[in-house]
Amino acid sequence: MRTELDQFVKYTLEDSDQKIVMNDLINSEIKLTFTGKTVCSACKNERKIFAQGFCYDCFMNAPESSPCIINPELCEGHLGKGRDLAWEEANHVQPHIVYLAVASGLKVGVTRATQVPTRWIDQGASFAIKVAETPYRQLAGEIEVALKNEFSDKTNWRRMLKNEIADYDLEEEKWQIEEMLPNDLSQYMIEDDEITSINYPVEKFPEKVKSVGFDKQPIIEGKLLGIKGQYLILDKDRVLNIRKHTGYEVNLEF
């Protein structure tokens, strides 16, 4: 789902034929039917999905699934290395942001500068602040690693979906980081202390989170109660992770 930051995040589902503003379907009955067809998001061939929307071959070889996607400190694009040098130049040898975000608890993360605030929305963050800006991905990863003893790099997705949000002073947390970093990394910290607040179109949050998916249930239907992160929130405390099903061909009826 494509996202746009507004008073409430705007979610749009797109295919080759149409665009559906998912916000308009909240409080409506929807039906999602998995056709059984899966297409790799990298090679675009009809293949079994191995992980993260990729077939096995692309997961092992495509630049979009390189180990430094998960662990940016491993990135070697700035050294002229990588699975695809043109892709590395366009995506990793670019300014990157280190940030603090609150989706449930406080976490540290890294994203390409052009992916702000999309990355925060995808994680279901309610508040976020930029901490540092680096000229390429690997340096941002080094800062993230230096902070992992103090800050988690994971989101508790169940608490996020129940809207259990801890209270933090993000500006204060940010400037405590300066003391944690060696000089060669603290030099990348930025003065911008703007806190981005993100509201999601949710009518009702689940009390107990029950994850559903197409691998076990080809037809998922019910009332759409909201959207947060990349999750559809359905009645009966059910949630569907749309990002997890990248590459699945699904028909939507409403």
Side-chain angles (χ1 to χ4, degrees), residues 153-170:
D153 63 342
K154 301 291 190 298
T155 296
N156 185 321
W157 62 275
R158 291 182 181 275
R159 289 186 58 200
M160 179 270 289
L161 287 168
K162 290 191 287 185
N163 209 39
E164 296 177 353
I165 305 168
D167 186 26
Y168 291 94
D169 183 331
L170 283 182

Side-chain angles (χ1 to χ4, degrees), residues 2-11 23 121 198-201 227 229:
R2 295 190 180 276
T3 60
E4 180 183 339
L5 185 61
D6 207 331
Q7 181 179 0
F8 292 91
V9 175
K10 179 181 178 181
Y11 287 90
N23 301 53
I121 293 171
I198 305 172
N199 299 303
Y200 297 88
I227 312 172

Side-chain angles (χ1 to χ4, degrees), residues 5-123:
L5 185 61
D6 207 331
Q7 181 179 0
F8 292 91
V9 175
K10 179 181 178 181
Y11 287 90
T12 305
L13 196 61
E14 299 184 11
D15 63 18
S16 57
D17 299 320
Q18 61 181 329
K19 296 181 180 180
I20 301 171
V21 178
M22 295 299 292
N23 301 53
D24 296 341
L25 301 183
I26 293 174
N27 276 329
S28 299
E29 296 286 333
I30 64 171
K31 181 179 181 180
L32 297 152
T33 304
F34 173 42
T35 67
K37 178 181 177 181
T38 55
V39 176
C40 174
S41 61
C43 67
K44 307 303 181 184
N45 292 320
E46 188 173 340
R47 302 281 300 275
K48 181 179 179 180
I49 299 300
F50 176 73
Q52 300 171 22
F54 303 106
C55 66
Y56 178 78
D57 289 342
C58 288
F59 182 78
M60 297 302 295
N61 298 293
E64 298 95 330
S65 62
S66 298
C68 65
I69 299 294
I70 303 298
N71 300 109
E73 71 276 9
L74 302 178
C75 186
E76 295 184 316
H78 61 292
L79 300 176
K81 300 179 181 180
R83 291 181 176 181
D84 183 306
L85 298 187
W87 191 94
E88 290 288 337
E89 285 285 342
N91 293 277
H92 287 174
V93 190
Q94 298 290 333
H96 275 65
I97 297 294
V98 182
Y99 61 86
L100 291 176
V102 182
S104 52
L106 186 63
K107 73 176 293 290
V108 62
V110 166
T111 192
R112 194 168 68 246
T114 55
Q115 286 297 101
V116 172
T118 301
R119 179 61 174 160
W120 301 340
I121 293 171
D122 283 354
Q123 293 179 332

Side-chain angles (χ1 to χ4, degrees), residues 160-202:
M160 179 270 289
L161 287 168
K162 290 191 287 185
N163 209 39
E164 296 177 353
I165 305 168
D167 186 26
Y168 291 94
D169 183 331
L170 283 182
E171 186 176 347
E172 181 178 345
E173 296 286 349
K174 169 182 175 175
W175 289 108
Q176 287 180 358
I177 287 173
E178 190 172 27
E179 304 299 320
M180 304 176 192
L181 296 176
N183 290 337
D184 62 326
L185 295 180
S186 64
Q187 65 176 310
Y188 295 105
M189 291 193 65
I190 56 179
E191 295 293 329
D192 181 5
D193 289 336
E194 180 183 1
I195 296 173
T196 298
S197 178
I198 305 172
N199 299 303
Y200 297 88
V202 179

